[in-house]
Amino acid sequence: MAEVIDLEGFRRKLAADQAFRTWLARFKEQFGPETRLQDLSPHTLLYLASPGEDNLYVYFDLIMGARGLGGSVRFRLDDLDYQVKLKIMDTAFALVDRVRFEVMRRLGWVDAAPGMDTPLIELVQQAWRKGAAFARELPQLSSRHPEYDSYCALHPMDQAVFLRRLIPRAVSQFRAQLEEKQSD
């Protein structure tokens, strides 16, 4: 009798193996084809949410691996077509937003973040395919947030700006909570 092969599952596993190759060494955690943002440890999430060029190259490794483009070394060596490099950067910035929304979710500032139940590898593929439409998917501020009434009074476009302006404060507060837990 013939054996049924899950070709799509095999492709996801292969993409995950390539995408997380450098992450395994950097973060000392296990990642797989089903790893979601909410599965990331607080330390990994904080690193990914923090600004910095080195952090951006971690995203490049994820994206390029998932898309079969090699690693971020190719990006640094300018071994890619200009349009592909732009697509990688756009995808990385969209993923940075999703990671920061996950930080806000863990703080209770948003109740749910777009794509929080979607595996990271699939988020990469969606961001690559959808482009700007992916980047426009935003969470809603939680009614428990102290600035909720101000947020609700804004036009939807201004709500997006309001949310993004909260990001530095959210990352800072998340870092402080993590440091406080470590000192206990």
Side-chain angles (χ1 to χ4, degrees), residues 56 60 63 75 84-94:
L56 200 53
F60 292 174
I63 295 159
F75 193 96
V84 173
K85 285 182 86 166
L86 286 178
K87 189 81 166 171
I88 291 167
M89 288 189 294
D90 287 345
T91 302
F93 291 132

Side-chain angles (χ1 to χ4, degrees), residues 150-165:
S150 299
Y151 168 82
C152 286
L154 297 172
H155 182 276
M157 292 295 285
D158 294 328
Q159 287 178 344
V161 172
F162 186 95
L163 275 173
R164 284 195 164 79
R165 284 188 178 152

Side-chain angles (χ1 to χ4, degrees), residues 12-27 29-36 40 48 58 61-63 65-66 119-122 124:
R12 276 195 312 275
K13 169 122 178 54
L14 189 59
D17 288 348
Q18 292 300 309
F20 292 126
R21 188 179 61 236
T22 60
W23 284 38
L24 293 169
R26 175 179 295 277
F27 298 118
E29 293 179 35
Q30 290 301 309
F31 305 97
E34 301 304 318
T35 301
R36 304 163 302 167
L40 299 177
L48 293 171
V58 171
D61 278 328
L62 175 74
I63 295 159
L120 273 165
I121 297 304
E122 179 56 29
V124 169

